Amino acid sequence: MKNIARLRSFVQEMTRLVAQHGNDEPRMLDEGERCLRALIMHDDWLPDAFAQPSPESYRQYLLYCDPLERFSVVSFVWLPGQRTPIHDHTVWGLVGVMRGEEQCDEYVDPRYSAGPPRPSGSHRVKPGNVDRVSPRVGDVHVVSNAGRTGPAISIHVYGANIGAVRRHSYDPASGAPRDFISGYHNATTPNLWDRSLESGDA
């Protein structure tokens, strides 16, 4: 049995945080990173159904969405060689790597520069590390599995229902934007609220 209580506690912490500081992005990123780092330090809670890779493309599984869509929690699963297009988010986000290693290639926002997207930096994100994104701190990047064997899994928290947000991908040759709404690869989410097995009454 997975220790789903860890995810439930994280969701509760984030709900309290967004209720108190939802309009304060720096506070959300600072406190949210602390919460996310504590979650990904343990690898015993993510249900197997939300950790499955696909040879077709990386997978984006919704784990939880706040009823008011103030934040969402998503697992991303990548096989070696899989990567996103150049894309933005339009909202704040936190990315915590739990398994494997990811490569993040950053770009100058193409909306503010002519021609092809210009690289602005790159770095590896290892297990236990958390990256930040937002229009304020840097919002355009490509993410890929940096390993040669096995899937990489990261847990993402965004300041919206990210699967319903209209965002942009960018042509690598011209920088031309294309609107997209990512959606999710799952039709169900983990059941966080059945405590019967935890209590020993089942």
Side-chain angles (χ1 to χ4, degrees):
M1 174 182 163
K2 295 292 184 177
N3 189 0
I4 201 70
R6 295 194 197 279
L7 179 57
R8 181 172 62 240
S9 295
F10 175 76
V11 162
Q12 290 169 335
E13 285 188 79
M14 288 301 301
T15 301
R16 286 190 286 266
L17 182 59
V18 78
Q20 295 173 3
H21 306 292
N23 293 322
D24 184 347
E25 181 184 295
R27 182 74 175 267
M28 289 299 303
L29 290 174
D30 287 345
E31 295 296 319
E33 178 177 337
R34 176 186 59 78
C35 297
L36 180 57
R37 194 182 300 276
L39 178 67
I40 62 173
M41 290 302 293
H42 302 278
D43 191 359
D44 62 354
W45 59 268
L46 181 64
D48 292 341
F50 306 96
Q52 296 302 310
S54 168
E56 297 177 6
S57 71
Y58 66 91
R59 284 296 182 254
Q60 178 174 329
Y61 298 111
L62 177 66
L63 301 178
Y64 179 79
C65 183
D66 171 69
L68 300 180
E69 298 184 284
R70 297 170 297 181
F71 73 96
S72 53
V73 185
V74 183
S75 63
F76 275 68
V77 186
W78 326 73
L79 288 173
Q82 292 180 341
R83 63 178 53 234
T84 68
I86 303 173
H87 68 282
D88 64 17
H89 308 84
T90 75
V91 298
W92 63 260
L94 295 162
V95 178
V97 173
M98 191 166 70
R99 300 178 197 169
E101 189 171 332
E102 294 181 1
Q103 172 79 16
C104 178
D105 297 310
E106 300 158 313
Y107 291 83
V108 175
D109 193 322
R111 291 174 293 180
Y112 306 119
S113 62
R118 291 189 290 117
S120 61
S122 65
H123 59 278
R124 295 284 181 99
V125 189
K126 298 184 177 183
N129 291 345
V130 177
D131 248 4
R132 301 179 176 196
V133 295
S134 85
R136 185 179 63 86
V137 303
D139 195 40
V140 180
H141 65 193
V142 170
V143 179
S144 59
N145 183 339
R148 296 184 178 180
T149 59
I153 297 179
S154 51
I155 307 302
H156 299 218
V157 186
Y158 296 102
N161 174 7
I162 195 63
V165 173
R166 186 173 298 278
R167 302 188 278 149
H168 312 92
S169 62
Y170 297 94
D171 183 274
S174 68
R178 180 183 68 84
D179 287 0
F180 77 99
I181 298 174
S182 67
Y184 301 106
H185 288 102
N186 54 311
T188 61
T189 56
N191 183 350
L192 304 183
W193 312 113
D194 181 359
R195 300 172 185 256
S196 61
L197 294 178
E198 298 168 33
S199 69
D201 295 335

